[in-house]
Amino acid sequence: MGSSTSSSQSPDPPTPANPVPADSAEAPTPPAAATLFNTCWSCRLISGSGLLAAGSYVYLLARRPMKMGLAPGPGPVMQMVIGISIACWGVVILVDPKGKAFRVA
């Protein structure tokens, strides 16, 4: 019923989904963003103590069945490891060993 016509034009080549300009690909991150967290004592105190509390909560929640006499399975053991890791991350933020390693004039 209808007629089809063919065109002699070739289709456009596909464009990338996320084109990145050449200038922004090699631009370093500004140092002001990295130093803001290191100089803000209240930011470190709140985030470090929050992570410490969250890690303690996860750890104690996994220990609750063991206090009732149940044998620990792989799930609670992994939960305890994750809780200890979160708590250690909070301690690292509070102590800030990287900032203490270099003398800042």
Side-chain angles (χ1 to χ4, degrees):
M1 267 198 22
S3 65
S4 64
T5 60
S6 62
S7 84
S8 61
Q9 297 175 354
S10 64
D12 293 332
T15 58
N18 291 328
V20 178
D23 296 336
S24 66
E26 297 188 24
T29 58
T35 59
L36 176 67
F37 190 72
N38 293 336
T39 59
C40 181
W41 173 246
S42 63
C43 299
R44 282 182 30 219
L45 185 66
I46 290 172
S47 62
S49 60
L51 284 170
L52 187 62
S56 300
Y57 175 76
V58 171
Y59 176 79
L60 292 175
L61 196 66
R63 261 191 66 96
R64 187 178 295 168
M66 287 192 291
K67 287 183 179 180
M68 291 189 269
L70 296 174
V77 170
M78 190 59 162
Q79 190 174 357
M80 287 173 26
V81 168
I82 290 172
I84 291 170
S85 301
I86 293 171
C88 288
W89 186 17
V91 169
V92 166
I93 288 178
L94 285 172
V95 174
D96 187 31
K98 185 177 179 185
K100 302 285 191 265
F102 300 103
R103 176 176 279 178
V104 178

